[in-house]
Amino acid sequence: MAYKDVYASWQTDPEKFWLSAAEAIDWDEAPVTALTDKGNDLYEWFADAKVNTCYNAVDRHVENGHGARVAIIHDSPITGTVHKLTYRELQERVASLAGALRAKGIEKGDRVIIYMPMVPEAIEAMLACARIGAIHSVVFGGFAANELAVRIDDATPKAIIAASCGLEPNRVVHYKPLVDGAIELAKHKPEFCVILQREQEVAKLGARDVDWHGFQAGVAPAECLPVEGNHPAYILYTSGTTGAPKGVVRHTAGHLVALNWTMKNIYNVDPGDVFWAASDVGWVVGHSYICYAPLIHGNTTIVFEGKPVGTPDAGTFWRVISEHNVKSFFTAPTAFRAVKREDPKGEFVKKYDLSCLKTVYLAGERADPDTIQWALDQLNVPVIDHWWQTETGYAIAANPMGIEHMPVKLGSPSVAMPGYDVQILDEGGHPMKPGALGAIAIKLPLPPGTLPTLWNAEERFRKSYLTHFPGFYETGDAGMIDEDGYLYIMARTDDVINVAGHRLSTGGMEEVLASHPDVAECAVIGVTDQLKGQMPVGFLCLNTGAGRKDSAVVAECVKLVREKIGPVAAFKSAVVVDRLPKTRSGKILRATMVKIADGEPYKAPATIDDPAVLDEIKIALQSIGYAK
C-alpha cells in the first residue's frame, strides 16, 4: 500500500485506523472506543482500555521466547565500556526495582522524578515506574538545582531517582549535591531518594537517601499493574518562552499504539533490528526512541554516553554504528554539523564498515540541505529529515520509509503522517495557498500519543496551543506546503522577520548560508531597525581548516544571499563566531541572541549548554555595531 492510500484510509475513518493499529499491543482489556471527545477541544484516546506499558516493552517479549534477545546496549566512550542487557535480564532488573519502589510506598498515580545520566538504569527507572502505574518525570541530568526545584514543586514527586554523578568528556557532573540543593530550594519535599552509586564518584548518602542496590535486597519483585488507557505514563517538562516550564502529559494507551506504529512505518525496522537514537533520556527523543518505542516493538536500543566528536574523535558515531550493527540511526542535524565541521571530507567515515546502516533520520532543528547532502555523500544511504515536537511525541511530518520511500526534497521533512491534518494559516486563521509562508497548525483532534493537556494546567494548555486558531493546535512553527503536499519548516513563528513590510524566513537565509563550502554551521536572527523594522544578521561557524580570511567568507555569504533570495532580504551583516549558543539538546538559542543584539536584558536559559558562549556572541555583535 502506498503512502497516499494509508493516509487516505486514516482520513476516511480515523478511529478504525487507530483501532487497527492498536491490535499490535497486548491489552488487559482491549479498547472498544478509539476517541473520546470530552468537549471544549479536549480529547482522549483508548480511555476505556486497560494496559501496562512495561509489560508491552519487556515482559511480552520474554514470554514470546525472545528473552535472550539484546534489549539495551550501553556504549560509553567516556568510560571506555560496552555493556549489553537481554530482555530477560531487563525484566528481572525492572521488576526488582519496581518491587523496591512499591515496598517504599510508591503507588499508582504517584509521581517519581528521574534525574539520571545516560546509563541503562535510567531506562530501568522509567520502566519500573510504568510497571506499577507511577508517573515518571525525567529531568535532564545536570540541570541546575533551581530548575530541578521548579519541577519538584510542579510534579510533587513522592521520590527522586538519581545517580551519584554524570560524566562528560572532560569532567564529572556532581548530581547528588544538585539533588540536595534542589530539595532544599523546593517547597515540596520528596519522601526518599534512590541513589545509583557510580564508581567515578561515590556520593555521601543522607537520612532520606537509599542505595539503588541496597534497598532492593530481599524485596519481592513487582508484577505489571494494568492501568486505564488515559492514565498518565509520564510528565515531560518543556521550557516555555516565559514563566515556568510546561509539563507535557502523555497518556498510556495512545503512547503505546502510536510509538509501536512508527517503528515499522516510519523507521522501517523489524523486531530484533538495532535502532539508535543519539539523544538523551531527558529529552522527548530519549523517551520515545531510546526507551519506549524500540522496546515496545522488540528492537535493540542503544544508550550512548558521550559526544559525537571528541570521544575520542569525529568517528565515534561511525564506530558505534559499525560495532553494534545499527540499521536505523536517528540524531539531530546539529550533531552532524559538529562532525562535518571536524571532518569535512569524511576521513573518519572511511575507517568503518557501515554496510549495516540502511537509513539516517534527522530531527530537532531545521536540517539544512548542505548538511543532508554531506551526509548523503559520506554514507550513501537515505538521509531523512522529519519534524515533530516534545508535545507530539513522534513525527508530524516524515518520509514513511516502511510504507514507501517517497522522493526526498531537500529542505522539507516530507509529508504529514496519518493522524495529522497539517495546514498553513494566515494571522486571521485562514488557509493559505501552496507556497505561501504562514503559521503551521494541525486540525483537532490530534492523534494518539500526543499531549491531551499540561500537568495541572489546563488553562495554560488552551492558551498555549488552542486559543489563537480555534479548532486547531498551534505548533509555534512557520512554514509552507508546496503543490505536492510537502511541508517546509522555515522557522519558529517568532523567527519570521518583517523587513520593510516583507515577511521573510530566517530559515531560508540560513539554508543559503549553509550552502557556502566554508560554512559548517550558521544562524540568522532579526534585529530591531528603526527604518525597516527588522534587519537580518548572520552568524557563521567555519569548517576546521578552512584557511580563509573571515572577511572574505562574510563578503561571499552576503553576496550569496543577495543572489539566492534577492535584495528584498536586506542581508548585509554577518559575523564569524567559534560556536553558537545552544540548548543541551542542540537547539540554537535565537531568541536570546536577539535580546543581546537589541541591547535588552537577558539571562542564560536553564537549558543552555555553555553560558560563556553568550559573552562571545555579544562581543561578536559589538564588532558589527550591535549589542550596545
Side-chain angles (χ1 to χ4, degrees), residues 107-325:
E107 299 175 350
K108 176 188 171 187
D110 288 339
R111 273 80 62 210
V112 177
I113 278 183
I114 298 171
Y115 185 72
M116 298 280 280
M118 286 298 288
V119 291
E121 288 86 354
I123 305 297
E124 292 168 25
M126 296 165 77
L127 293 168
C129 290
R131 193 172 188 85
I132 57 176
I135 303 166
H136 67 67
S137 184
V138 182
V139 178
F140 177 80
F143 255 174
N146 180 66
E147 292 301 314
L148 182 54
V150 167
R151 289 153 175 81
I152 290 171
D153 281 336
D154 195 71
T156 60
K158 190 178 277 189
I160 295 177
I161 302 176
S164 58
C165 68
L167 304 176
E168 292 189 0
N170 299 309
R171 69 185 183 117
V172 173
V173 183
H174 314 292
Y175 279 19
K176 182 61 168 57
L178 289 169
V179 172
D180 291 342
I183 293 172
E184 193 173 320
L185 287 169
K187 295 183 180 71
H188 173 82
K189 308 298 181 185
E191 293 179 10
F192 65 99
C193 297
V194 182
I195 305 298
L196 173 70
Q197 297 281 23
R198 302 191 73 187
E199 63 182 51
Q200 291 80 13
E201 180 173 275
V202 176
K204 183 179 179 182
L205 301 186
R208 77 162 63 85
D209 304 320
V210 296
D211 175 75
W212 175 283
H213 296 289
F215 99 120
Q216 296 183 46
V219 177
E223 294 301 316
C224 295
L225 177 73
V227 298
E228 298 80 7
N230 59 1
H231 180 73
Y234 68 76
I235 305 162
L236 178 57
Y237 288 93
T238 179
S239 298
T241 50
T242 58
K246 296 177 287 191
V248 169
V249 173
R250 198 82 67 209
H251 281 176
T252 297
H255 178 238
L256 281 166
V257 173
L259 289 187
N260 185 71
W261 184 89
T262 65
M263 289 305 289
K264 179 59 183 175
N265 290 283
I266 294 179
Y267 299 108
N268 197 25
V269 289
D270 296 309
D273 288 338
V274 182
F275 181 88
W276 180 23
S279 183
D280 189 284
V281 290
W283 312 126
V284 69
V285 173
H287 283 61
S288 293
Y289 291 106
I290 297 176
C291 180
Y292 288 114
L295 296 177
I296 293 163
H297 196 246
N299 292 104
T300 298
T301 186
I302 294 180
V303 175
F304 173 77
E305 185 178 43
K307 302 282 186 184
V309 294
T311 52
D313 52 42
T316 299
F317 275 177
W318 324 129
R319 191 270 302 166
V320 173
I321 290 167
S322 176
E323 189 172 315
H324 302 309
N325 200 36

Side-chain angles (χ1 to χ4, degrees), residues 463-474:
K463 185 177 179 182
S464 297
Y465 304 106
L466 307 181
T467 305
H468 194 171
F469 302 119
F472 287 85
Y473 164 84
E474 182 184 9

